[in-house]
Amino acid sequence: MKKYRGAFIKNDNEVARLREANRMVANILDAVGEMVGVGVSTMRIEELARDMCSDYKVKPAFLGYFDYPYATCCSVNEQVVHGFPNERPLEDGDIVSVDMGVEFDGFVGDAARTFPIGSVSDDVHKLLRITEESLYVGIEHARPGHDVYEIGAAVQEYVEAAGFNVVRRFVGHGVGAKMHEKPEVPNFKPGMRGLTLQNGMVIAIEPMVTLGNYEVDILEDQWTAVTRDGKWAAHFEHSVVITPQGARILSVSDKGLNRHTIAP
Ligand code: MF3
Ligand code: CO
């Protein structure tokens, strides 16, 4: 595979396989959106994701990755990312960030969304809306010839203008035959120059946004990232391919692009 400064350049065939992997992920997230609600536990999300993977005859990409024990990450309220599914029923006003990956035909699809449970407070609804919108702001800046760090600079500016903060501890990434490839895609401005985006690069852009401070801690389970101040966080992720026309989103479901929290 062709490389540019450590990042793989995918050919049309590889992009098609990545699109298929990401279509499956987006379909799973659509199905999650239809089944989550008050009284449903995140373990039901995990089961649905695993069932759909067996229907699709694909491997969940997270399960076993650095010994991660589940197919999904289900992060509730002050949990930012990498939360374990569990049996606690979700309550009215909660939010759950669901991150999912599959491996199809040697290529990884990766996407995430935060779902509101029942009716959430105005602040929390705004958190979801701004986080999702910031993802699309980042995607707008993912163009050939642009510095990859322009993505995060734009995300950070958008998020902070709304009064929220962007997590620094976790970043987006190149994605392909491996889940994490070069380059790193921060959601903030790193203050130096990064790699210049090239046609055929595939990256996962995944802003994590907090209502309060951006500092996170990892729980004793060694995975679950929570905000240090206990304020809530949201996470939206798309995998995109860089084309001459700009970034093309790969994680699109059969129902089309899903922009849940954005008014049409
Ligand atoms: N979307 C996450 C990421 O890009 C998923 C990784 S969870 C893990 O890093 F368990 F697989 F590590
Ligand atoms: Co990712």
Side-chain angles (χ1 to χ4, degrees):
M1 215 183 290
K2 228 170 73 183
K3 266 185 146 184
Y4 174 86
R5 292 184 57 197
F8 293 105
I9 308 292
K10 277 81 177 182
N11 63 31
D12 290 351
N13 173 278
E14 291 158 342
V15 170
R17 285 145 74 189
L18 279 158
R19 179 176 310 114
E20 182 62 5
N22 277 290
R23 182 184 70 88
M24 292 169 178
V25 172
N27 282 346
I28 292 169
L29 291 175
D30 275 4
V32 168
E34 280 161 27
M35 62 80 79
V36 283
V38 177
V40 176
S41 78
T42 50
M43 198 56 80
R44 303 289 86 74
I45 296 173
E46 170 75 11
E47 287 167 0
L48 172 79
R50 288 197 195 208
D51 287 349
M52 287 182 74
C53 281
S54 25
D55 291 348
Y56 286 137
K57 298 182 171 51
V58 294
K59 234 183 69 161
F62 300 175
L63 184 63
Y65 186 80
F66 288 97
D67 291 329
Y68 184 77
Y70 296 98
T72 60
C73 299
C74 296
S75 310
V76 177
N77 298 346
E78 77 284 356
Q79 299 179 348
V80 182
V81 286
H82 305 161
F84 290 175
N86 64 31
E87 295 291 351
R88 183 182 81 80
L90 291 163
E91 291 171 26
D92 188 42
D94 283 346
I95 54 173
V96 58
S97 300
V98 179
D99 195 345
M100 175 65 192
V102 307
E103 190 184 317
F104 162 78
D105 201 12
F107 285 86
V108 174
D110 185 10
R113 293 179 207 158
T114 302
F115 300 96
I117 304 301
S119 53
V120 298
S121 71
D122 289 349
D123 270 9
V124 168
H125 184 266
K126 186 180 172 196
L127 172 72
L128 267 49
R129 179 174 63 82
I130 295 296
T131 309
E132 188 172 27
E133 286 173 356
S134 79
L135 168 59
Y136 287 91
V137 168
I139 290 170
E140 281 294 316
H141 285 79
R143 301 185 158 269
H146 282 218
D147 188 316
V148 66
Y149 290 167
E150 285 176 42
I151 296 170
V155 168
Q156 181 180 3
E157 189 179 35
Y158 188 79
V159 166
E160 291 179 356
F164 301 141
N165 283 297
V166 161
V167 170
R168 317 293 204 253
R169 174 88 172 254
F170 303 101
V171 296
H173 49 93
V175 56
K178 295 226 164 68
M179 178 153 60
H180 294 132
E181 297 181 351
K182 298 240 179 236
E184 285 196 356
V185 185
N187 304 296
F188 54 93
K189 195 179 155 107
M192 56 179 114
R193 281 182 52 184
L195 169 157
T196 304
L197 291 168
Q198 310 288 317
N199 290 319
M201 283 184 183
V202 176
I203 57 175
I205 305 176
E206 48 179 319
M208 287 142 265
V209 175
T210 58
L211 271 173
N213 193 273
Y214 58 75
E215 292 290 353
V216 304
D217 290 312
I218 310 297
L219 299 186
E220 295 93 278
D221 63 19
Q222 305 294 326
W223 280 100
T224 312
V226 297
T227 58
R228 189 162 294 171
D229 62 13
K231 299 206 175 150
W232 293 10
H235 179 209
F236 283 83
E237 174 178 26
H238 271 309
S239 294
V240 308
V241 57
I242 309 301
T243 80
Q245 289 77 41
R248 176 168 178 203
I249 300 173
L250 298 175
S251 32
V252 178
S253 78
D254 294 338
K255 289 193 187 153
L257 208 55
N258 241 290
R259 294 176 67 154
H260 281 291
T261 51
I262 298 176

